[in-house]
Amino acid sequence: AQTVTQSQPEMSVQEAETVTLSCTYDTSESDYYLFWYKQPPSRQMILVIRQEAYKQQNATENRFSVNFQKAAKSFSLKISDSQLGDAAMYFCAYRSASGNEKLTFGTGTRLTIIP
Amino acid sequence: DSGVTQTPKHLITATGQRVTLRCSPRSGDLSVYWYQQSLDQGLQFLIQYYNGEERAKGNILERFSAQQFPDLHSELNLSSLELGDSALYFCASTSHRDSEQFFGPGTRLTVL
């Protein structure tokens, strides 16, 4: 079974600075997807970024980028120019490309933005 | 707004009762997923339906059941409720297996 680990329960960053959230996963599959979801105080789950395992290029979405290290099974999220609206819980998630389509989530990292 | 709707937003009930949570997927999405978010268990996959048929099961209790109707909306039925069933229940939908899952706003269930 796949597992996702987020070892940082809480992180904080000064507004306009850069922060990196860590995620590692365990799987025996070679083809899969990785995601970062954001959950603000409203509790809505919002997709931040997605990475296909077969792509070597790291995904980027505006101020959000990932560092995907397939051999190390690591998938970190970098947020540049942090804004107050980035304050939320961030969940790393894994999904098989060929088997069960469920998302397996990590335990989340609570990100605080310091004005 | 993800396009996925869930009703009700909040539900307060007593132990032993039965409730039904409803989800309408995004227009055109055939797959519906149910997830439970609780303080002790985190976010867990419960069950998936695809075009009316059950496709995958996760950590869903026998007291819980779900179905997807011909119009593709889905219902999650929770019975013999216990205090530990208090959680946020999310529905998500997707158009095909390679696309991301879009989440609804969730239903917060409180069992007293």
Side-chain angles (χ1 to χ4, degrees), chain A residues 33 35 37 39 42-45 47 50 52 91 95-106, chain B residues 2 31 33 35 37 43 45 48 55-57 88 90 94 97-105 108:
Chain A
Y33 302 94
F35 305 87
Y37 278 88
Q39 187 178 41
S42 67
R43 308 296 267 175
Q44 175 76 48
M45 293 291 287
L47 179 66
R50 154 195 169 130
E52 289 87 349
F91 292 95
R95 204 194 87 204
S96 170
S98 58
N100 192 317
E101 298 164 34
K102 69 174 183 178
L103 289 169
T104 300
F105 288 92
Chain B
S2 68
S31 271
Y33 309 77
Y35 293 88
Q37 184 178 29
L43 266 159
F45 167 72
Q48 177 201 358
R55 175 161 279 191
K57 254 185 177 178
L88 189 53
F90 285 108
T94 187
R97 69 168 300 118
D98 291 336
S99 67
E100 48 263 41
Q101 295 177 21
F102 292 89
F103 281 74
R108 176 164 295 283

Side-chain angles (χ1 to χ4, degrees), chain A residues 47-78:
Chain A
L47 179 66
V48 175
I49 200 164
R50 154 195 169 130
Q51 175 79 44
E52 289 87 349
Y54 66 86
K55 290 186 177 178
Q56 291 189 332
Q57 187 172 6
N58 290 324
T60 299
E61 288 288 342
N62 301 313
R63 298 181 295 107
F64 298 86
S65 61
V66 298
N67 183 5
F68 172 49
Q69 301 290 327
K70 191 172 184 180
K73 295 180 182 174
S74 170
F75 182 60
S76 61
L77 175 70
K78 186 172 83 171

